[in-house]
Amino acid sequence: MQASIQKGQLQGGPGNKGRRRLARASALALLAALAGYLPLPLLAAGPAPAGEAVLLVVGDSISAEYGLKRGTGWVALLEARLAKESMPVKVVNASISGETTAGGRSRLPALLAAHKPSHVVIELGGNDALRGLPLEMTEAHLTAMVEAARGSGARVLLAGIQVPPNYGRAYTERFAGLFEKVARAQKVAVLPFILAGVADGPQAVRLMQADRIHPNEEAQPRLLDNMWPSLKKLLAKP
């Protein structure tokens, strides 16, 4: 995901130099991510033991350890926490930096067939906003992904993202409510903002990478803490 920029960094009039510099930096970050449009090697790709839950994570750079050492992202930390909690869950991370909801939708059927997950986390949408894609398209893709996951028998958690206010108030508000709208319609769990307290908090500069777009290694435990209550509740259901 390339749209998790802290709000204060994009305020000011159209001629604001800081805003132009940040816009250029955001574009460069997007190009860099797309140039290296490679999937994170699937974690725990082997078959799950009989009776073990399988959690499939389908996300973008927020979940794909963009700019981080392998094994330091929130999904890897989740595996460690599950082991500590003695929760027998196999985690499959199928996240790709630069992924859109359209890309996730196209990949999901094969992932469901290959891994047969009991639970699915969908963490997508930010790149749709960065590319200026219609909200109706994003909603349709997320809805289709949820329906496909539920149709396979999996329980679903939508992990949302928010965009900065320079997208315009109407778009920002509609985008922020998109994930909860889909979750209500499909009756699935939702976390409205995975980067809450990171991208929008007082320590945003310290917790974000140099591009001011992606959370750094220090921020990953906070991302997991944001996800954990919803995940734990989801995983408690067979």
Side-chain angles (χ1 to χ4, degrees):
M1 201 291 298
Q2 280 79 34
S4 55
I5 307 169
Q6 72 174 94
K7 296 179 180 179
Q9 292 175 323
L10 287 175
Q11 294 175 344
N16 186 278
K17 293 182 179 179
R19 178 175 169 180
R20 290 198 299 270
R21 286 196 298 268
L22 183 55
R24 287 195 295 269
S26 299
L28 289 173
L30 173 61
L31 290 173
L34 293 178
Y37 199 92
L38 296 174
L40 181 73
L42 291 180
L43 299 179
E52 184 179 51
V54 177
L55 173 65
L56 173 66
V57 181
V58 185
D60 50 36
S61 56
I62 297 298
S63 300
E65 298 185 333
Y66 179 87
L68 304 175
K69 292 182 296 184
R70 287 293 174 259
T72 61
W74 78 265
V75 181
L77 298 180
L78 170 63
E79 288 193 287
R81 182 169 295 188
L82 289 169
K84 183 178 180 180
E85 297 276 336
S86 298
M87 297 176 67
V89 180
K90 171 191 168 185
V91 179
V92 178
N93 192 355
S95 302
I96 300 178
S97 292
E99 184 71 292
T100 61
T101 55
R105 179 179 181 178
S106 68
R107 291 192 301 121
L108 185 58
L111 291 170
L112 293 174
H115 302 289
K116 297 176 174 55
S118 53
H119 303 78
V120 175
V121 171
I122 301 172
E123 181 272 301
L124 291 170
N127 286 311
D128 292 39
L130 191 64
R131 298 181 185 192
L133 300 180
L135 289 175
E136 294 77 12
M137 182 182 296
T138 300
E139 180 179 346
H141 290 322
L142 288 175
T143 297
M145 291 184 72
V146 171
E147 289 177 343
R150 292 184 66 197
S152 74
R155 294 187 177 275
V156 179
L157 170 62
L158 275 179
I161 194 69
Q162 295 179 15
V163 296
N166 70 309
Y167 281 71
R169 180 176 179 180
Y171 185 93
T172 300
E173 291 180 352
R174 287 182 62 205
F175 186 85
L178 181 63
F179 302 93
E180 291 180 274
K181 179 182 178 182
V182 172
R184 283 196 303 270
Q186 296 298 316
K187 296 180 173 57
V188 298
V190 62
L191 175 68
F193 189 27
I194 188 174
L195 294 179
V198 176
D200 61 351
Q203 297 179 318
V205 173
R206 183 166 65 86
L207 294 174
M208 302 299 283
Q209 295 183 37
D211 61 11
R212 303 293 177 88
I213 297 170
H214 297 90
N216 60 24
E217 185 175 334
E218 183 181 352
Q220 299 305 307
R222 299 196 184 200
L223 268 64
L224 176 56
D225 286 342
N226 286 343
M227 292 289 294
W228 182 245
S230 297
L231 276 174
K232 188 174 183 180
K233 183 177 180 180
L234 188 77
L235 291 167
K237 300 176 181 179

